[in-house]
Amino acid sequence: MKFDVSRFFEKDRKERIDIVAKFANLTEQEIQTLENSGGISFEQADKMVENAIGTFSFPLGIATNFTINKKEYLVPMVIEEPSVIAAASKAAKIAKIRGGFEMQNDESYSIGQIQVVNVDVDSAMQKILKSSKEILDLANSKSNTLSKIGKGAKEISCKEIRTDAGPMLIVELLIDVGDAMGANVTNTMCEGIAPLIEKITNGKVILRILSNYSTRRMVSGTATFEKEAVGGQETVDNIILAYQFAAYDEYRAVTHNKGIMNGIIAVANATGQDTRAIEAAAHAYASKNGRYTSLTQWDKDNDGNLVGRIEIPMSVGIVGGIINVHPTAKICTKILGVQSASELACIIGAAGLAQNFSALRALASEGIQKGHMRLHARNIAAAAGATNDQIDTLVKKMTSEGNISINRAREILGEL
Ligand code: MEV
């Protein structure tokens, strides 16, 4: 079935929810959860964290126009910053002209690390590798769920690190965590095999913990943005120059990547992911060659169209964790209609690339303040008490006067 999501931003809340509900086959109860602002109850919050005193909500919006690997998506985003959802939708609309985003995510291996000290590293490594099967079997005995579906601990590797406190052996356990984010199972397995590692190496284990540097859960992909839709050849060329700035200057790269994370974290928030893990891995990956740089690359094809590429670690899950608990995270995952964590990783990666495109396009042409100020003016107008049909008039007047303030909004309202 084809869904008309054109001019989504002009619809009222009920119309937007109706479109999303039809698109994702939401139940009455799910619609009600969205309408009731869908957060968690205090009782749930109290079970999640210590010393809870309440809950805290953020805007949930829908980015439209996303075609990823030939499939259409409505992409839920949870973010407090204006312009991000509009920017993602606009980028996705331009990308769609050339078929949308082509994304890949091949593996979902989590990495667990076991730190062993007081050992002769070389001989300990030999012993560990010889006992790989026994260690993997023990690790897998800690998770029936993964083993049953042919996932679980798959490989053991060892490395030596030389520290101020002497050499250490680091044993790394590679675990196929399937559709889970997998932090818990990774930590359980690491703790579970630690005594055996001590026995085999005659060393002392200190840490047994997941690495958030998820380089075995990469998502990558590209999109082509047609030059006319981007704003012409000069804008395409300026975007490429803007990218080169980020590629060669850390101060710019951090801001450039922050724009990418605007897209990534908004979708990750909506689907209940561990956003700190995603951020930490992304920035480490941006420095993988010893210098912090851009997580995307921009170039043009032979016809002068803009081609973007992103590659980023993406450890996400669609089972377990907060997704089991948070009603809105569950609904957002349903709106995406994802069948696997890998599909979710592809969407999140595409949202990052889309966001970066829109930021660069705005920065390399009119700048970002104009758009920001329009939105800011809308918020001010609403805060001053303007009704829906008064908002446009107020925004126009305040922006043309260059005076966007609550006082001026109230004055204009008075005049109206
Ligand atoms: C603002 O949240 C993000 C940008 O600063 C990103 C960028 O500069 O590329 C607009």
Side-chain angles (χ1 to χ4, degrees), residues 100-384:
F101 298 84
E102 276 174 39
M103 307 295 301
Q104 297 91 40
N105 169 257
D106 301 330
E107 302 180 310
S108 53
Y109 284 101
S110 159
I111 302 167
Q113 296 191 301
I114 295 146
Q115 176 195 19
V116 195
V117 299
N118 301 344
V119 278
D120 173 63
V121 172
D122 280 344
S123 69
M125 271 188 194
Q126 302 295 327
K127 289 180 198 155
I128 291 283
L129 294 178
K130 246 200 210 143
S131 310
S132 285
K133 184 166 174 343
E134 187 189 352
I135 300 169
L136 288 175
D137 286 347
L138 179 61
N140 283 322
S141 72
K142 308 288 169 195
S143 166
N144 287 335
T145 328
L146 284 183
S147 306
K148 261 193 231 146
I149 54 170
K151 313 266 176 206
K154 298 289 177 194
E155 280 172 45
I156 297 266
S157 63
C158 295
K159 67 185 181 194
E160 178 179 7
I161 55 169
R162 287 162 193 248
T163 75
D164 292 346
M168 293 175 191
L169 167 66
I170 308 299
V171 180
E172 289 184 341
L173 188 60
L174 266 183
I175 307 158
D176 184 348
V177 291
D179 287 326
M181 189 273 188
N184 264 334
V185 73
T186 304
N187 294 337
T188 303
M189 284 187 179
C190 287
E191 289 187 9
I193 63 173
L196 178 60
I197 302 270
E198 282 191 333
K199 193 170 136 214
I200 293 169
T201 59
N202 273 328
K204 181 177 168 202
V205 166
I206 311 282
L207 297 196
R208 300 139 292 166
I209 184 76
L210 156 90
S211 166
N212 284 119
Y213 193 26
S214 350
T215 54
R216 298 290 300 265
R217 302 175 85 169
M218 300 297 299
V219 66
S220 61
T222 65
T224 298
F225 298 82
E226 204 166 83
K227 94 180 146 201
E228 286 76 22
V230 171
Q233 195 63 68
E234 193 184 341
T235 310
V236 167
D237 292 344
N238 287 348
I239 291 174
I240 295 168
L241 292 173
Y243 151 66
Q244 289 290 333
F245 179 11
Y248 285 92
D249 179 73
E250 290 90 340
Y251 283 82
R252 173 60 204 149
V254 170
T255 320
H256 175 104
N257 289 342
K258 189 274 182 184
I260 296 171
M261 300 320 276
N262 277 347
I264 287 180
I265 297 303
V267 186
N269 272 332
T271 54
Q273 307 304 319
D274 180 342
T275 55
R276 288 82 61 211
I278 297 174
E279 287 271 6
H283 297 296
Y285 196 70
S287 323
K288 68 179 188 303
N289 294 326
R291 188 172 56 78
Y292 189 91
T293 186
S294 166
L295 285 162
T296 54
Q297 292 87 41
W298 294 92
D299 207 340
K300 57 185 170 184
D301 66 14
N302 292 337
D303 300 321
N305 301 308
L306 182 69
V307 182
R309 182 179 153 74
I310 186 165
E311 184 176 82
I312 186 168
M314 192 55 65
S315 94
V316 292
I318 59 164
V319 292
I322 191 87
I323 309 143
N324 284 353
V325 183
H326 199 295
T328 320
K330 261 190 217 166
I331 296 171
C332 290
T333 311
K334 184 168 173 186
I335 293 170
L336 285 172
V338 287
Q339 303 301 316
S340 63
S342 158
E343 188 179 351
L344 177 59
C346 289
I347 297 167
I348 296 181
L353 186 59
Q355 207 58 47
N356 186 220
F357 164 77
S358 283
L360 293 183
R361 180 170 178 248
L363 290 166
S365 48
E366 66 170 19
I368 57 165
Q369 281 315 88
K370 221 167 153 185
H372 266 311
M373 289 325 274
R374 257 192 313 267
L375 265 165
H376 179 55
R378 288 191 83 77
N379 289 337
I380 293 283

